[in-house]
Amino acid sequence: MANQVDLSQLAVDRSGSAVVTAGKRRNFATRYGLPLGILVAFAAVIGWSLQDSLLPAKSVTITPVVLTRAEVQQSGTPVFQAAGWIEPRPTATVVSAQVEGIVETLLVVEGQEVELGQPLAKLVDADSRISLAEAKAALRLRDAELELAKATCEAAHTSLANPVQLQAAVAEAEASLAKVATDSQSIPLLLKGANSRLQLAQQDLEGKLKVGDAIPQRSVQRAQSELDSATAAVHELEQRSKSLESEAKSWQDRVTALRSQLTLKSDENRRVKEAEAGCNIAAARVDQAKLAVETAELRLARMTITSPIAGRVLALHVQPGRRLMGLSPASERDSSAVVSLYDPKNLQVRADVRLEDVPNAQMGQPVQISTAALAAPLTGEVVAVTSQADIQKNTLQLKVLIHNPPAVIKPEMLVQVTFLAPELPGNKDIAAQDPLRQLIPKELVTTTPEGTTVWVANLQTSRARQQAIQLGKASTDRLVEVVQGLTATDKLIVSGRDELSPGKRIRVTGEDHNLNGATNSLNANASAPQMAAESKNQK
């Protein structure tokens, strides 16, 4: 009993057990959670470092962006060569017969120098001489007709100024009218005398009739006859009086008409107009005859074919006895050509330039022309690029002007043309002033309606990126300039571009060596004249 048991010690403290439980939980997070998190993080780092080996990626090759400046060749440096031949500039002069005829004789030979207007050939001219004589005879006839027409015209003008015939007609009509008037005035007196004789004859007849048989019958008949005669005389005078009145009126009308005609002079004016028209017709016929003479003279002159230029005979196209068609519309081509001439001081070379060398040729570019006929080369310059391409030789023809060609140079001679680098304004400063150009292979450029792009490899993320770019004007046969969109450190994807998409993982297996030829020949291509010109134009 002395030792008493303290039952309070057996009691369970609930608040103390909660603290122990919390401590146990913290120990679990420290022991297990933290190491597990470290392991997960370590595994993530290991996975990230091994992602190139674990995740699928497209194998590609790359090439860098090429940086360069345009190199300018020194003036006079040979650029390329081409074969060619000499020809007249611009062309040979073909001398043709302008009239139809037969060649009688040739007065020149090939290679002969001729002067302006020098006879080259003669045609048979007998017919032309006869035609000229006929034309001159016709002209003389027309001149005589003109003189006759002028005389007629002068007479018509004189008649118009002095109408003598009309004045005479008026005077004659007036005289006739005066005579009729005089006769009309004498009729009353004559009629009075006739009436007196009629009365006497009537009284004589009546007296003899009253006597009867005392007077012979013959005396009565005589008295009757005298009475009839007196009666007839009276009737005649009466009728004549009426007739004279009508005749006087008629002559008066005629005098009036003639005076009016004398005033108007209509017939004279008509004759003057007809005479003047006749003079004009005759003068026109004279002009026609003169033209006919000039035509005949021109035809006769054209029977001698002369040189239109001072030069040298290139070729003869006819022989004596050959018939030429002249300027006839029905003549065939070259059917009237006689000789071909050229100016030996104006020659050119037609050069066959390879198509790959055509971009290196410029208008005015200096050249050297070599031929076996000369020890030293000639100088010249490019003057034209023709449109005549040879599909078999793969060439294009260029025309080169020869400076001061010597006399030994002839058309159709074969020559070798060396095209030299031209003298460009400020060409010494072009390379120094030209900034670095970014050039990439043409085959890596993709052009779509949306724009121009290339595939760029991001070496840090191993991802492919489709980059939009802008192309420039400078280029070579395999490289093209990029003016916007790329940097000097960008790497372009060469192989494996067909299966790429933006952001796709890639694995770079190395640089592409197939494009080394393009980059290695960059300096040679950049030194061509056109690249220097493009550089200057862009500035």
Side-chain angles (χ1 to χ4, degrees):
M1 297 297 296
N3 294 326
Q4 294 182 357
V5 178
D6 189 359
L7 297 177
S8 61
Q9 294 179 354
L10 300 177
V12 177
D13 190 355
R14 300 294 183 185
S15 60
S17 62
V19 174
V20 173
T21 303
K24 292 180 178 181
R25 292 179 179 175
R26 284 194 296 271
N27 292 336
F28 178 82
T30 303
R31 290 181 180 180
Y32 302 103
L34 182 59
L36 182 61
I38 293 174
L39 291 175
V40 171
F42 182 74
V45 173
I46 296 299
W48 177 261
S49 62
L50 298 177
Q51 61 178 345
D52 290 342
S53 300
L54 299 177
L55 297 178
K58 176 66 178 177
S59 298
V60 296
T61 59
I62 60 174
T63 188
V65 176
V66 181
L67 300 179
T68 186
R69 279 192 175 95
E71 297 180 4
V72 181
Q73 287 185 337
Q74 185 178 2
S75 174
T77 304
V79 179
F80 64 93
Q81 289 185 332
W85 63 94
I86 298 175
E87 64 181 10
R89 173 170 173 80
T91 61
T93 301
V94 179
V95 184
S96 300
Q98 299 181 353
V99 293
E100 182 181 358
I102 298 176
V103 179
E104 182 177 6
T105 180
L106 291 173
L107 304 177
V108 293
V109 295
E110 292 183 352
Q112 178 180 341
E113 292 188 359
V114 296
E115 300 295 333
L116 177 64
Q118 178 177 339
L120 304 177
K122 291 187 66 176
L123 305 181
V124 178
D125 59 358
D127 295 340
S128 298
R129 293 184 182 278
I130 294 175
S131 298
L132 177 59
E134 291 179 353
K136 289 182 177 180
L139 177 60
R140 290 193 296 271
L141 178 61
R142 296 305 182 186
D143 286 335
E145 292 178 352
L146 178 60
E147 293 299 326
L148 179 59
K150 287 181 179 180
T152 304
C153 185
E154 184 177 358
H157 281 284
T158 303
S159 177
L160 178 63
N162 301 301
V164 179
Q165 294 180 351
L166 285 178
Q167 292 174 355
V170 170
E172 183 180 357
E174 289 178 348
S176 299
L177 178 60
K179 181 179 179 181
V180 170
T182 302
D183 292 341
S184 297
Q185 293 175 359
S186 62
I187 288 298
L189 298 177
L190 295 175
L191 184 59
K192 183 177 180 180
N195 288 326
S196 299
R197 287 191 295 273
L198 176 60
Q199 291 178 359
L200 291 175
Q202 187 175 5
Q203 292 176 359
D204 184 38
L205 178 60
E206 291 177 353
K208 289 181 179 181
L209 289 176
K210 289 180 179 180
V211 174
D213 296 334
I215 298 175
Q217 187 66 29
R218 187 173 183 178
S219 179
V220 174
Q221 292 177 353
R222 184 181 296 110
Q224 183 65 42
S225 174
E226 291 179 358
L227 177 61
D228 293 338
S229 297
T231 303
V234 170
H235 287 294
E236 181 182 359
L237 290 174
E238 290 178 351
Q239 293 298 326
R240 186 177 180 187
S241 177
K242 294 178 181 180
S243 176
L244 288 175
E245 291 179 359
S246 299
E247 188 175 356
K249 183 178 180 181
S250 176
W251 280 111
Q252 183 63 43
D253 293 340
R254 180 173 176 79
V255 169
T256 303
L258 290 174
R259 287 177 178 174
S260 177
Q261 186 175 358
L262 180 61
T263 302
L264 298 177
K265 302 179 182 179
S266 57
D267 291 341
E268 282 69 16
N269 286 322
R270 177 180 57 79
R271 294 189 186 97
V272 168
K273 295 296 183 182
E274 291 178 352
E276 290 177 349
C279 286
N280 293 333
I281 293 173
R285 289 175 177 172
V286 169
D287 293 338
Q288 286 181 341
K290 289 180 179 180
L291 291 176
V293 171
E294 292 178 2
T295 301
E297 290 176 346
L298 180 60
R299 179 178 177 84
L300 180 60
R302 286 178 173 176
M303 288 296 171
T304 301
I305 302 170
T306 59
S307 174
I309 63 171
R312 184 171 294 168
V313 178
L314 178 62
L316 300 177
H317 303 295
V318 296
Q319 304 83 28
R322 170 83 173 273
R323 182 179 182 84
L324 302 178
M325 298 305 296
L327 301 179
S328 173
S331 62
E332 298 180 357
R333 182 180 179 183
D334 298 333
S335 62
S336 298
V338 179
V339 298
S340 294
L341 305 177
Y342 72 97
D343 184 1
K345 298 180 181 179
N346 198 4
L347 298 177
Q348 66 182 11
V349 174
R350 188 179 291 264
D352 276 333
V353 179
R354 296 177 302 172
L355 295 184
E356 56 267 26
D357 292 332
V358 170
N360 297 331
Q362 304 178 29
M363 297 295 295
Q365 183 176 358
V367 300
Q368 287 184 348
I369 305 166
S370 302
T371 176
L374 294 173
L378 302 175
T379 61
E381 61 178 297
V382 178
V383 293
V385 179
T386 69
S387 59
Q388 299 178 359
D390 193 324
I391 191 173
Q392 296 180 351
K393 296 188 293 185
N394 200 30
T395 59
L396 183 68
Q397 293 183 0
L398 273 66
K399 293 183 179 181
V400 177
L401 175 65
I402 303 176
H403 294 160
N404 302 321
V408 70
I409 296 298
K410 302 292 191 300
E412 305 301 329
M413 279 187 175
L414 298 180
V415 296
Q416 186 75 12
V417 183
T418 302
F419 291 78
L420 307 177
E423 179 70 29
L424 297 177
N427 57 355
K428 298 181 180 179
D429 300 330
I430 291 179
Q433 298 178 1
D434 189 33
L436 286 174
R437 296 176 179 271
Q438 297 178 356
L439 301 179
I440 64 174
K442 292 181 179 180
E443 59 189 71
L444 302 184
V445 179
T446 302
T447 302
T448 62
E450 289 75 17
T452 304
T453 60
V454 294
W455 286 101
V456 179
N458 190 335
L459 301 182
Q460 295 180 355
T461 62
S462 297
R463 303 279 179 176
R465 181 177 84 252
Q466 192 173 18
Q467 179 65 38
I469 62 173
Q470 180 179 349
L471 301 180
K473 295 182 179 180
S475 64
T476 66
D477 55 346
R478 298 186 62 184
L479 299 177
V480 64
E481 180 188 10
V482 178
V483 296
Q484 185 177 353
L486 294 179
T487 63
T489 59
D490 286 337
K491 306 297 181 181
L492 307 180
I493 299 175
V494 180
S495 63
R497 291 176 291 118
D498 297 338
E499 300 177 1
L500 291 180
S501 60
K504 187 173 182 178
R505 291 186 56 79
I506 58 175
R507 179 183 296 108
V508 178
T509 61
E511 289 193 6
D512 192 292
H513 298 287
N514 294 329
L515 299 178
N516 287 343
T519 57
N520 292 337
S521 62
L522 172 63
N523 290 336
N525 290 330
S527 62
Q530 79 276 7
M531 190 163 182
E534 290 174 356
S535 173
K536 188 175 186 300
N537 292 336
Q538 287 187 3
K539 293 179 182 304

